[in-house]
Amino acid sequence: MSLTIPRMADLAMEGRVPDVLFWVGCAGSYDARAQKVTVAFCKILNEVGVDFAILGNDEACTGDPARRAGNEFVFQMMAAQNVEVLNGYQIKKIVATCPHCFNVLKNEYPALGGKYEVIHHSVFLQQLIDSGKLKIKGESPLGDKAASITYHDSCYIGRGNGIYEAPREVLNTLKADIQEMNRIKSNGLCCGAGGAQMFKEDEPGDKRINTERSEEAMATGANTIAVNCPFCLTMMSDGVKAAEKQDEVMVYDLAELIVQANRW
Amino acid sequence: MLQPIVFFLICVVGFGYAGYKFSKLRRNVLLGKDEEIEKAPGQRFKNMMLVAFGQKKMFRRWIPAVLHGFIYVAFLFTQIELIEIIVDGFTNGHRTFATALGGLYTLILNSIEILSVLALIATIIFLWRRNMLSIPRFNKPEMEGWPHKDANIILYLEILLVMAILTMNGTDAVLQGIDPEHYPDTGTLAVSGWLGPLVFGGMQESTLALLERAGWWLHFLVVIAFLNYLPISKHLHIIFAFPMTYFARLTPKAEMENMPEIQKEVQSMMDPDATFDEADMSMELPEFGAQDITGLSWLDVLGGYACTQCGRCTDVCPANLTGKKLSPRKVMMDIRTRAEEIGTKLDSGDKQYIAEDKRESAKALTKDNFDDGKSLFDLISKEEIHACTTCQACVEACPININPLEPILKLRRHEILTQSAGPTDWLPMFTAIENGGAVWAMSDARDKWAEDA
């Protein structure tokens, strides 16, 4: 089935504003692994029949990593540009698959004139399930293999915005055994990518943060690590690879697990 | 008549000097910049009652929470006894509240006694834990020297205080049987009721009376000493936890503070119709972020003073856990060290601390013309602030809502914006965002994935 992914520019020509704008983010747009999450989420939106659009080439980095690194100038330039685009299209509601984009759009753009209803896709999926619009088939998200899932809280969805239950509720609808790690929810351990660490070498130390976290995840015995962030996805996948467990332990975003469970 | 006079003089000196020291603390905290505090008194009061008074966040770790709770509740109850000591001290009375309160007095005294014994047990366990067990968070590099000593000193003071209370009450219990006219009935005391006769029974009345006074004075003097010790100790948290939890930011932990000065600049840069503000251009280049106490918010400095160095932040810091140099606790401790240094230098009035270009014209050394050629970067290395993942685990872990992340980010802002320095690894990312609108330099269209799907 080919996907329908409307562009905001086309909708604007017809004078339409979609129910929700899907903010794809840099990772979702360019990172090969994260692109799969983007596509999976679009599949769900298509299957459920959500009226959405993407900005396409009108979208630019929210400026999050620049701001966290300390470069407020670059952040403010991106923010001004994005707010102008979003306001120009009269966007009311945004869904983001990246917790960092989500946080900036939700908490930091309002002070810069960008006020929208912003929702992270883990909460959006939970709402679709709760309202009965998104039905989960009772099949294993790992195909013919039984799934046991451990959920990794991303810092910017968890501690940063206090969302701990929605992603877990989504996972609970899947035919899978859920295994929690020791450090979860407000006590969850970072994957190591935040604060623009993704874009630099580690400072001297005796271990990589993603190794520490992946080991904890793998110690649960789960064969699937569920994440809700493209950077956690990279970090946890790298950690699993470093332990040479990539054939036994899979790292997936929530959206991918739903698509797989529904055989879409 | 001698006792009330001596008592009065000690009160004046003890409370007076403490008041003077606390006014210096206030001055040092206010070296930080003004921060607009969002008005939400109800929410703030609730936070203070739950987190500071109710110790809510301590209960993530049960054992230390219960032990700390004993000492804390004992401290609160002992204040009633302290009030009585002050009343007795001024009026030359003896246990004024005993006759006034009757049965309630017995209840209060018994609570104090039981809590004091529990506090004593907790104190001994704490001493053992800190000195004999190798608990990682008590043995990080920043805890060497004074911080370690400070932690022990306060525990010894606590033991001394409990000893004073038990001597005072124990001898009193015996004396009540000998001379009921001068020693009013306090009712049967849970600890001193049996411990008093056991230890002090059979002693001469004059010896007992002397010991009773010794216990009474020791109790009072330890409290005065404690009060004057607080300004140089981590134990300041006993007071500063309250303003800290009241004023702590209420915004989501992931939200970073906006910089309106840069927002304004960028907006005028992007708006072709914006009027060119010459006054702004002729001004001295502003300093962005923070390199010193004066660049931080007063709330960050308050955090430095409120920090009790428990290390719960460092214990959960992913960078610290994996052997990096960053320790959020050290950042807060360094803020206090530096604020103290500036405070001491300001007090000296020495004109060598006036910024060179203002030395001629300035009448006196003030916080506005202060420059000793040093900054927080002399205490906090770049390597430390570069290691932060902004995961907010430290903010979450702090039992009194101190935010170590905020100063770390302000130091980063200073490094990037004012010093034009920072990790070179970040440059390609900045350039890619600025030029191509994405964190990586990509030649593909942003929605190429959609074409491929």
Side-chain angles (χ1 to χ4, degrees):
Chain A
M1 192 193 85
S2 78
L3 289 172
T4 312
I5 305 168
R7 309 297 197 278
M8 200 49 235
D10 298 334
L11 263 64
M13 299 275 271
E14 303 162 22
R16 276 207 320 118
V17 178
D19 289 345
V20 59
L21 178 88
F22 171 25
W23 186 275
V24 183
C26 297
S29 300
Y30 291 118
D31 178 86
R33 182 65 190 85
Q35 280 173 347
K36 293 185 178 160
V37 179
T38 309
V39 172
F41 187 60
C42 285
K43 265 186 199 162
I44 297 172
L45 295 175
N46 275 187
E47 291 285 346
V48 175
V50 174
D51 175 29
F52 81 105
I54 61 167
L55 284 176
N57 293 322
D58 290 335
E59 185 188 285
C61 172
T62 57
D64 163 85
R67 181 173 241 196
R68 263 77 199 159
N71 200 330
E72 187 75 1
F73 268 107
V74 170
F75 168 77
Q76 291 285 351
M77 286 197 300
M78 301 319 289
Q81 183 182 329
N82 284 322
V83 167
E84 197 178 316
V85 168
L86 290 167
N87 289 352
Y89 284 133
Q90 296 180 310
I91 301 297
K92 300 279 177 293
K93 184 176 177 178
I94 303 173
V95 60
T97 43
C98 171
H100 299 268
C101 297
F102 160 79
N103 177 63
V104 167
L105 290 165
K106 180 175 191 289
N107 297 321
E108 298 178 3
Y109 277 10
L112 312 173
K115 297 186 174 75
Y116 323 101
E117 182 193 346
V118 187
I119 187 168
H120 183 247
H121 78 304
S122 55
V123 177
F124 192 75
L125 290 171
Q126 182 229 344
Q127 289 176 355
L128 286 178
I129 292 169
D130 282 0
S131 64
K133 287 179 189 147
L134 174 57
K135 293 194 172 54
I136 310 292
K137 287 183 196 146
E139 306 209 38
S140 167
L142 294 190
D144 44 15
K145 205 160 110 189
S148 60
I149 303 176
T150 190
Y151 171 69
H152 164 76
D153 290 276
S154 65
C155 302
Y156 276 72
I157 286 302
R159 267 190 300 275
N161 285 287
I163 301 167
Y164 304 110
E165 297 310 326
R168 288 183 166 79
E169 281 170 29
V170 170
L171 291 173
N172 280 333
T173 63
L174 299 171
K175 188 187 174 189
D177 172 31
I178 308 290
Q179 303 284 344
E180 289 282 12
M181 291 183 248
N182 288 330
R183 289 173 282 194
I184 56 164
K185 300 184 182 175
S186 63
N187 195 30
L189 182 74
C190 176
C191 72
Q197 294 297 329
M198 183 75 188
F199 306 98
K200 65 185 265 298
E201 287 300 315
D202 289 355
E203 299 305 313
D206 44 47
K207 198 174 187 180
R208 301 205 64 194
I209 297 171
N210 65 333
T211 310
E212 170 81 13
R213 186 54 163 173
S214 310
E215 282 173 2
E216 185 177 359
M218 290 185 286
T220 62
N223 60 13
T224 308
I225 301 171
V227 296
N228 65 25
C229 167
F231 299 105
C232 296
L233 182 61
T234 303
M235 285 305 210
M236 298 303 279
S237 304
D238 286 354
V240 170
K241 251 178 249 160
E244 296 183 350
K245 288 274 167 60
Q246 67 270 32
D247 296 329
E248 296 139 63
V249 180
M250 298 296 164
V251 186
Y252 287 121
D253 185 271
L254 297 176
E256 293 179 296
L257 289 169
I258 289 178
V259 167
Q260 287 162 212
N262 279 4
R263 306 288 187 263
W264 283 337
Chain B
M1 263 325 275
L2 188 63
Q3 180 178 302
I5 295 166
V6 174
F7 188 84
F8 175 75
L9 287 175
I10 293 177
C11 273
V12 170
V13 174
F15 287 112
Y17 191 69
Y20 169 73
K21 280 292 180 190
F22 273 89
S23 76
K24 292 287 179 200
L25 292 183
R26 184 172 184 276
R27 190 266 321 263
N28 290 357
V29 166
L30 295 180
L31 288 172
K33 276 190 196 159
D34 221 3
E35 175 171 329
E36 204 182 317
I37 303 292
E38 188 197 329
K39 281 196 184 64
Q43 181 60 45
R44 291 183 180 280
F45 186 75
K46 191 179 148 200
N47 285 352
M48 184 173 77
M49 291 316 279
L50 283 174
V51 179
F53 189 74
Q55 316 226 323
K56 185 181 164 208
K57 287 175 90 179
M58 286 293 285
F59 281 88
R60 294 180 170 194
R61 300 184 195 203
W62 275 92
I63 298 169
V66 170
L67 295 174
H68 181 268
F70 286 157
I71 298 180
Y72 173 64
V73 180
F75 166 80
L76 288 181
F77 267 78
T78 315
Q79 301 315 303
I80 306 172
E81 193 155 2
L82 186 66
I83 296 169
E84 189 187 36
I85 286 182
I86 291 171
V87 172
D88 286 350
F90 281 128
T91 59
N92 207 14
H94 182 76
R95 297 202 184 258
T96 311
F97 291 2
T99 16
L101 298 176
L104 182 64
Y105 187 76
T106 311
L107 184 71
I108 293 170
L109 226 54
N110 272 314
S111 310
I112 292 173
E113 288 224 321
I114 293 166
L115 286 164
S116 295
V117 171
L118 290 174
L120 183 67
I121 295 168
T123 306
I124 292 164
I125 296 174
F126 277 161
L127 272 169
W128 168 68
R129 242 166 53 105
R130 192 169 281 269
N131 297 290
M132 310 298 269
L133 293 186
S134 48
I135 293 175
R137 66 185 165 104
F138 293 151
N139 295 291
K140 297 274 173 185
E142 67 265 25
M143 294 309 288
E144 279 167 23
W146 171 248
H148 181 77
K149 230 179 263 167
D150 180 25
N152 281 330
I153 288 173
I154 210 79
L155 292 171
Y156 294 135
L157 274 179
E158 181 70 34
I159 292 179
L160 209 58
L161 187 65
V162 175
M163 290 306 160
I165 290 173
L166 292 179
T167 306
M168 187 175 103
N169 289 356
T171 48
D172 204 275
V174 179
L175 283 164
Q176 284 171 36
I178 301 172
D179 183 6
E181 202 185 315
H182 286 106
Y183 297 93
D185 186 20
T186 57
T188 311
L189 300 180
V191 180
S192 299
W194 57 271
L195 192 66
L198 193 73
V199 178
F200 306 109
M203 284 185 187
Q204 277 193 343
E205 192 184 340
S206 56
T207 317
L208 285 168
L210 200 69
L211 281 173
E212 195 279 330
R213 281 297 87 188
W216 187 87
W217 274 104
L218 186 63
H219 185 164
F220 175 64
L221 291 173
V222 168
V223 170
I224 293 288
F226 182 75
L227 190 64
N228 280 280
Y229 180 65
L230 285 183
I232 58 160
S233 167
K234 77 183 191 98
H235 297 280
L236 190 56
H237 78 286
I238 205 164
I239 294 170
F240 275 31
F242 290 86
M244 192 65 235
T245 48
Y246 184 84
F247 290 113
R249 296 175 184 89
L250 301 174
T251 45
K253 290 187 186 69
E255 183 181 327
M256 236 175 118
E257 216 179 294
N258 191 30
M259 295 181 76
E261 63 273 36
I262 294 185
Q263 181 191 350
K264 211 178 113 200
E265 198 155 323
V266 167
Q267 274 170 352
S268 64
M269 216 165 68
M270 291 173 83
D271 178 7
D273 300 329
T275 47
F276 188 72
D277 198 340
E278 282 205 39
D280 271 6
M281 291 304 287
S282 61
M283 273 193 4
E284 209 180 323
L285 206 67
E287 205 172 80
F288 297 117
Q291 66 164 337
D292 213 340
I293 301 302
T294 43
L296 296 173
S297 153
W298 68 271
L299 210 49
D300 302 322
V301 191
L302 182 71
Y305 278 102
C307 173
T308 194
Q309 305 165 7
C310 72
R312 281 168 174 76
C313 52
T314 296
D315 219 23
V316 295
C317 172
N320 194 279
L321 278 170
T322 53
K324 279 92 182 172
K325 228 175 128 190
L326 173 64
S327 162
R329 166 175 59 189
K330 179 182 169 291
V331 172
M332 298 320 294
M333 290 168 70
D334 289 339
I335 289 173
R336 180 171 180 170
T337 305
R338 178 63 184 153
E340 281 293 305
E341 184 184 7
I342 297 178
T344 311
K345 284 178 176 171
L346 284 175
D347 285 337
S348 78
D350 194 333
K351 287 201 168 181
Q352 65 160 312
Y353 300 128
I354 300 179
E356 222 165 304
D357 55 327
K358 292 174 190 149
R359 214 169 284 167
E360 293 293 310
S361 56
K363 285 199 191 83
L365 175 68
T366 65
K367 77 169 199 178
D368 298 316
N369 62 29
F370 179 86
D371 182 5
D372 64 348
K374 289 185 179 176
S375 76
L376 266 176
F377 282 112
D378 290 305
L379 299 169
I380 305 169
S381 65
K382 302 275 171 81
E383 184 183 328
E384 288 165 68
I385 59 165
H386 292 169
C388 177
T389 70
T390 71
C391 77
Q392 318 130 44
C394 53
V395 187
E396 181 77 38
C398 182
I400 55 170
N401 291 354
I402 298 169
N403 186 330
L405 176 57
E406 198 67 36
I408 292 172
L409 291 172
K410 283 174 185 158
L411 288 165
R412 276 191 180 181
R413 279 176 165 170
H414 191 276
E415 189 190 15
I416 299 279
L417 300 168
T418 309
Q419 304 171 23
S420 301
T424 46
D425 285 351
W426 277 343
L427 293 178
M429 182 258 289
F430 293 153
T431 316
I433 297 178
E434 217 177 327
N435 296 338
V439 291
W440 301 286
M442 307 300 290
S443 52
D444 289 340
R446 198 168 172 99
D447 58 357
K448 185 172 180 293
W449 61 270
E451 308 296 333
D452 300 343

